Amino acid sequence: MAGRGDNGPTIGIDLGMTYSCVAVWQQNRAEIIAEDQGNRTTPSCVAFTGSQRFIGTEAKNQMVMNPTNTVFDVKRLIGRRFSDLSVQNDMQLWPFKVIAGIGDKPVIVVQYKGQEKQFAAEEITSMILVKLHEIAESYLGCAVMDAVITVPAYFTDCQREATKIVGVIASLDLMCLINEPTAAAIAYGLEKRSNTEKKVLIFDLGGGTFDVSVLTIDKGIFEVKATAGDAHLGGEDLDNRMVCHVIQELKRKHHKDISGNPNKMRKLKVACERAKRILSSTNNATIEIDNLFEDTNFSLTITRDSFEELNMDLFAKCVETIKKCLKDAKMDKSSIHEVVLVGGSTRIPIVQQLLQEFFNGKQLCKSINPDEAVAYGVAAQAAMVRGEGNEKLNGMLLLDIAPLSIGLELGTGNMNVLIPRNTVIPTKKNRIVSAIPSKPRGSIMVY
């Protein structure tokens, strides 16, 4: 049962693709728990060496010197098949090795303590979760067993089930999962309390996933009306576009191809990510890499305009997703009271510009920390699940929806939808179907 007294406090975990964050509800507020080096977010990264395993900041520091044994972006493998096109595309830019395991499951291969080791994506992710668990216990000074974990709103059922398995491997009692934009909406609602109904659009563009959710918030009742998104769109994809651009420039100007060299590719990726961040505050950034090839230093200046041009189709996709979400919610953009920015990639100027243009010049809500909003909200949800009754959470109610349609696969290969997407949950529906003797029986599918 949730909130057992002997399990200590229930923690909230924002399990992100590039960074993760752990928080707890204390003294009528969410407390973001810093790691041992003082950072309030922890890199979602695991590195293996001949003698040690590093997790978080220490692992990220291994990326350039030990790229083939430093694992990141693992959230993109959770609940997916090795043969998925997205996995195959991502593998082209990862320095670490991924192979097909049993049942077409992706398996990560590293060298650890002088031996080849193979790990499922769930195992690597559980290591990150264990690190966050340890950070929380060290801060709280007591054992913690219960947790609420966030997932992208557009995660499939397979990806959600895989996340639950991660919790089991990490020896945590998982109370529930909560969608990331919904958690961010809770953070917004707690900070911007109002006695009148507000229609809020959460725009959540993180390191690897993109979600849009439309909610109504009225006197502590959070009702999700619609959600849309892309579980494979985020800051990493913007970095990768720049990486591919530089690779082409190297081929064109220097007739060199570094795409097969993990060390050089990792150096390039780090330099491109740094340049992307700089371009959020200036119009030009220089991608500089020492000894990129034949002891020759490499330097390339990229402008904000060229960065935007490289990624404009991805930015346009964000706007189209907003349109879809508003249509599903049966709302006009003029009825939205607040557009709330969540996720580090919302700091990119063109993202904010396109949003303001779409909403006819409306000022965007930037008052909540885009890196910590999800963790803040999930900590509040954890306290509510636990049944903590303090004045700030008293009377709060969350009404979420199923982001994807759920149904049965028929003998024809088509899906018979039982629960349409954007149905308020929990929900239950029964339907009688006839099994065709010569064909497999129907099974639950999520699209």
Side-chain angles (χ1 to χ4, degrees), residues 238 241-242 245 272 274-287 300-313 315 345-354 366:
L238 308 179
R241 287 286 180 90
M242 210 185 311
H245 170 69
C272 286
R274 186 184 302 116
K276 178 192 68 177
R277 292 174 183 269
I278 292 171
L279 288 172
S280 289
S281 56
T282 64
N283 290 320
N284 297 280
T286 302
I287 299 171
L300 174 70
T301 298
I302 187 165
T303 65
R304 182 184 289 181
D305 287 343
S306 60
F307 169 74
E308 293 172 357
E309 185 178 347
L310 284 171
N311 294 288
M312 190 53 71
D313 61 316
F315 298 137
S345 297
T346 58
R347 293 186 173 92
I348 297 171
I350 187 63
V351 172
Q352 297 184 15
Q353 178 187 325
L354 290 173
K366 308 175 190 177

Side-chain angles (χ1 to χ4, degrees), residues 194-198 216-223 395:
S194 173
N195 292 323
T196 59
E197 182 186 77
K198 278 194 173 185
T216 59
I217 304 175
D218 187 14
K219 298 175 183 176
I221 299 175
F222 296 75
E223 184 175 358

Side-chain angles (χ1 to χ4, degrees), residues 419-436:
I419 300 172
R421 63 188 175 89
N422 294 324
T423 298
V424 176
I425 55 175
T427 187
K428 183 178 180 180
K429 185 169 287 189
N430 297 321
R431 182 174 299 171
I432 299 174
V433 294
S434 300
I436 302 172

